[in-house]
Amino acid sequence: MSVRKLGGALAVAAACVQGAWAQGTMFKEPALEALYQAEQHEELLRTATPRLAARPDDAQAVLALAMAALARNNAATRQQALDAAAACVEKQPQAAPCHYAQGVVLGVQAMSEGLMKAARSAGTVRQALITAQTIEPAWYPARSALVEFYLLAPGMMGGSTSQAAELARGAPTPEQVRALEARIAMNDRRFEDGLKLLASLPAALPPALAEDVRGWGVQCALGMANAGQAAAALPAVEKLVREHPEHAGPVFALARVRAEAGQHEAAVVLYEQAAKLRGAHELPVAWRLGISQQQLGRTEAARASFQRFVAAGKGHKTSLEDARKRLAQLGT
């Protein structure tokens, strides 16, 4: 899930329950799950804080604090979440959410402090995620996070594609198996294979699994677009848009497919639509919009888009460099 995967390889390196939680929601408590799905992260934080003050081993409150900390993305809140997770693990060592919270938050915190810190923390992150997944093997977020760790961490830091494949094969439902196998295909740059696996899944999936399917589907589609295979991605991307109309990612991916086909008028409409949807802040919408506007000869509009993207300062280094280069070419 997106908030679990910030910071690359270690951003993720972050009693058996029954019912919906085991099948693929983040939280056991419906009220917390509702806040999480609505991206009400500040409310999660406000809910978790007094609960932890009253009971430090409240595993669901620890998890709420961790998810809020990842969304807020500042070191102080992450450290607060790490302290809470450590206290919970000490008092309740069989609480999978506390181990999970420790793993995912420590991964992000360590990456924010540099590669050396990340390398030193990798073993702790890996063990925390292994423990969470071992305690709750049916809890999808723990399995997904551990698969991500194995795929993205270097071998010397505990990464292992064979371990990721074993975890995928051992998932408790066919839908989880296919989704995780698609993630492995994506890691191998077999984007078309991954997208086909994801497109074969039903629209009605548990929330945590649906979020991964959406995010991985977008990444596969963008990988295909970058490799000159955008046309082959079109049916699966259109399916993603139909199934997740409120999210920016699928619409952004469809815009990229249209742009790669030279359909920049359609791409501009889709980029502008994506900019208004959930998750748009995580995507380089303004940069790609500017490129399509530039291709259409809309110089002033393109300049404004590139300026907006550079001013936000949130894009990948290469994207920001390209936007600055284009601004220079446009005389800014």
Side-chain angles (χ1 to χ4, degrees):
M1 310 177 78
S2 58
V3 293
R4 291 187 277 114
K5 298 165 187 173
L6 298 171
L10 289 181
V12 296
C16 186
V17 295
Q18 304 297 321
W21 189 45
Q23 293 302 313
T25 61
M26 178 61 71
F27 291 93
K28 182 179 181 179
E29 296 181 18
L32 294 177
E33 179 68 15
L35 290 174
Y36 179 68
Q37 291 301 326
E39 299 182 1
Q40 296 294 316
H41 301 114
E42 291 302 312
E43 189 59 34
L44 274 179
L45 181 62
R46 283 190 289 270
T47 301
T49 301
R51 284 177 55 164
L52 289 171
R55 199 186 118 200
D57 64 344
D58 183 338
Q60 290 291 290
V62 168
L63 184 59
L65 176 57
M67 296 300 100
L70 292 177
R72 185 179 267 196
N73 196 25
N74 67 65
T77 313
R78 287 196 297 267
Q79 189 57 56
Q80 181 185 356
L82 283 174
D83 292 343
C88 180
V89 165
E90 182 177 354
K91 289 177 177 293
Q92 199 177 166
Q94 291 301 303
C98 298
H99 291 282
Y100 172 86
Q102 184 180 49
V104 295
V105 177
L106 179 59
V108 175
Q109 185 79 323
M111 282 297 293
S112 73
E113 296 174 5
L115 290 177
M116 291 300 294
K117 175 65 173 177
R120 289 194 297 270
S121 301
T124 303
V125 171
R126 177 175 174 269
Q127 189 55 54
L129 294 177
I130 288 173
T131 302
Q133 197 277 323
T134 301
I135 294 170
E136 298 288 2
W139 187 33
Y140 176 76
R143 186 178 297 266
S144 173
L146 186 53
V147 167
E148 286 278 354
F149 178 90
Y150 281 138
L151 291 177
L152 297 175
M156 63 181 296
M157 293 166 64
S160 170
T161 53
S162 63
Q163 292 275 20
E166 183 179 343
L167 270 175
R169 288 192 299 268
T173 69
E175 293 80 11
Q176 288 187 23
V177 173
R178 269 185 282 169
L180 293 170
E181 287 180 341
R183 177 64 186 89
I184 293 169
M186 185 176 77
N187 189 71
D188 294 337
R189 303 190 66 80
R190 293 184 288 113
F191 298 118
E192 187 168 4
D193 291 342
L195 196 56
K196 285 179 180 177
L197 280 168
L198 295 170
S200 72
L201 292 168
L205 292 169
L209 181 57
E211 186 173 352
D212 274 354
V213 168
R214 182 182 69 250
W216 295 340
V218 168
Q219 290 180 60
C220 284
L222 295 178
M224 291 176 69
N226 291 334
Q229 300 175 311
L234 181 59
V237 173
E238 289 178 331
K239 180 175 183 284
L240 281 173
V241 172
R242 289 194 301 271
E243 293 175 355
H244 306 279
E246 74 281 14
H247 289 276
V251 178
F252 177 81
L254 182 57
R256 286 280 288 115
V257 168
R258 296 299 188 197
E260 288 300 314
Q263 301 168 10
H264 290 287
E265 287 281 6
V268 165
V269 173
L270 289 165
Y271 285 133
E272 290 175 341
Q273 178 184 342
K276 301 172 185 177
L277 299 175
R278 289 170 59 179
H281 64 285
E282 298 176 354
L283 299 166
V285 178
W287 174 51
R288 288 294 181 181
L289 172 61
I291 292 173
S292 283
Q293 290 168 329
Q294 193 175 16
Q295 288 292 321
L296 291 167
R298 300 174 187 173
T299 303
E300 292 303 318
R303 181 183 292 115
S305 295
F306 293 136
Q307 287 173 336
R308 191 162 62 251
F309 181 67
V310 171
K314 294 182 179 179
H316 191 276
K317 180 181 177 181
T318 56
S319 305
L320 288 166
E321 288 175 351
D322 181 79
R324 293 189 184 101
K325 180 180 178 181
R326 290 174 183 274
L327 279 172
Q329 292 170 346
L330 291 172
T332 301

